[in-house]
């Protein structure tokens, strides 16, 4: 709960109360229900309140029993992950930079895995919808029409040239770059279709 409270308030683990209070005031102003009507804002506001109250009580207990602190074993120092998980700006100290960079790489890896898992879940759920085949085949229909249009823009000037209509073929040369561009767009569309409709994902076991 201690590390989670620091995380909710978006301050480094072990931050002092003045820094905690500043972060708390900023978050309260940002997510107060009277100022923020967005969905989920009230839930975040309540979590911020609870985290701040927990850290307040934690600090008061530490200040109230100095004798027990002297006899108790020293607290375990926070790990690199706890220190830098929510620190996005590199530290100025070169000695701390390597630890921060390792945490940043691990944070990016975890976020990538989380995003991919959400993509798989969302796409697998979409495949169960009744409209999934209709949307997929319609997208391929647009793809085929686009490729045909791009090929036509390239072939028509050649037909003019072979039939001896040189004037029309010279004007049609302007169509060739447009045809190439259309084919490139359709190639990108093909990639987007495969990704959006989850064609590269393994089939769900029935």
């Amino acid at each position: 709960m201690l590390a989670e409270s620091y995380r909710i308030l978006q301050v480094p683990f072990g931050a002092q109360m003045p820094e905690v209070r500043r972060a708390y005031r900023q978050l309260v102003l940002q997510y107060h229900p009277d100022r923020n009507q967005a969905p989920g804002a009230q839930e975040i506001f309540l979590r911020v309140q609870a985290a701040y109250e927990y850290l307040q009580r934690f600090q008061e207990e530490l200040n109230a029993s100095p004798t027990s602190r002297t006899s108790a074993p020293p607290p375990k120092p926070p790990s690199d992950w706890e220190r830098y998980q929510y620190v996005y700006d590199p530290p100025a100290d070169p000695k701390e930079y390597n630890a921060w960079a390792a945490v940043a790489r691990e944070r990016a890896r975890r976020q990538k895995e989380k995003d991919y898992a959400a993509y798989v879940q969302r796409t697998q759920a979409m495949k169960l919808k009744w409209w999934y085949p209709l949307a997929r085949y319609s997208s391929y229909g647009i793809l085929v029409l686009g490729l045909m249009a791009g090929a036509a823009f390239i072939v028509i000037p050649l037909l003019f040239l072979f039939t001896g209509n040189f004037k029309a073929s010279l004007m049609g040369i302007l169509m060739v770059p447009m045809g190439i561009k259309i084919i490139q767009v359709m190639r990108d569309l093909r990639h987007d279709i495969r990704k959006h409709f989850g064609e590269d994902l393994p089939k769900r076991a029935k």
Side-chain angles (χ1 to χ4, degrees):
M1 181 63 184
L2 182 61
E4 178 70 8
S5 298
Y6 285 115
R7 185 190 70 80
I8 292 173
L9 293 174
Q10 302 176 16
V11 294
F13 184 88
Q16 299 301 313
M17 285 307 296
E19 183 178 358
V20 171
R21 291 191 190 94
R22 286 194 298 270
Y24 166 73
R25 293 191 187 102
Q26 292 176 357
L27 292 172
V28 164
L29 290 175
Q30 180 179 355
Y31 292 105
H32 195 282
D34 293 339
R35 299 170 60 94
N36 192 334
Q37 302 296 326
Q42 184 175 4
E43 180 181 354
I44 297 176
F45 174 78
L46 295 175
R47 293 175 63 187
V48 167
Q49 289 274 28
Y52 178 69
E53 292 173 1
Y54 178 86
L55 291 179
Q56 266 193 323
R57 291 194 302 270
F58 176 78
Q59 189 63 38
E60 290 172 358
E61 291 174 1
L62 287 180
N63 295 334
S65 54
T67 55
S68 61
R69 290 204 310 274
T70 57
S71 59
K76 183 180 178 181
S79 65
D80 290 342
W81 177 258
E82 292 174 328
R83 292 173 61 194
Y84 298 115
Q85 181 182 3
Y86 300 101
V87 179
Y88 295 94
D89 295 327
D93 189 349
K95 296 180 180 178
E96 297 182 2
Y97 179 83
N98 291 335
W100 173 86
V103 170
R105 289 192 295 269
E106 176 64 15
R107 182 172 58 231
R109 185 191 67 81
R110 294 188 183 187
Q111 186 62 44
K112 185 177 180 180
E113 289 183 352
K114 182 179 178 181
D115 293 342
Y116 182 75
Y119 159 71
V120 171
Q121 183 179 8
R122 182 175 63 252
T123 306
Q124 294 288 14
M126 181 180 65
K127 287 185 176 183
L128 301 177
K129 303 293 184 180
W130 65 268
W131 46 262
Y132 172 81
L134 178 63
R136 182 183 174 193
Y137 294 133
S138 298
S139 300
Y140 274 108
I142 295 173
L143 176 64
V144 171
L145 292 176
L147 291 173
M148 292 173 61
F153 273 58
I154 297 174
V155 172
I156 288 176
L158 297 178
L159 293 178
F160 287 149
L161 182 62
F162 289 140
T163 56
N165 194 342
F166 297 106
K167 185 177 180 179
S169 63
L170 290 175
M171 296 179 61
I173 290 177
L174 299 176
M175 300 170 59
V176 174
M178 297 174 61
I180 294 175
K181 184 62 177 178
I182 291 174
I183 291 177
Q184 291 175 346
V185 171
M186 292 301 106
R187 182 189 59 192
D188 295 339
L189 176 61
R190 166 63 175 145
H191 174 75
D192 292 341
I193 290 174
R194 291 182 64 87
K195 181 179 179 181
H196 182 73
F197 290 100
E199 295 182 5
D200 297 329
L201 296 180
K203 294 183 178 180
R204 177 181 290 181
K206 296 183 179 180

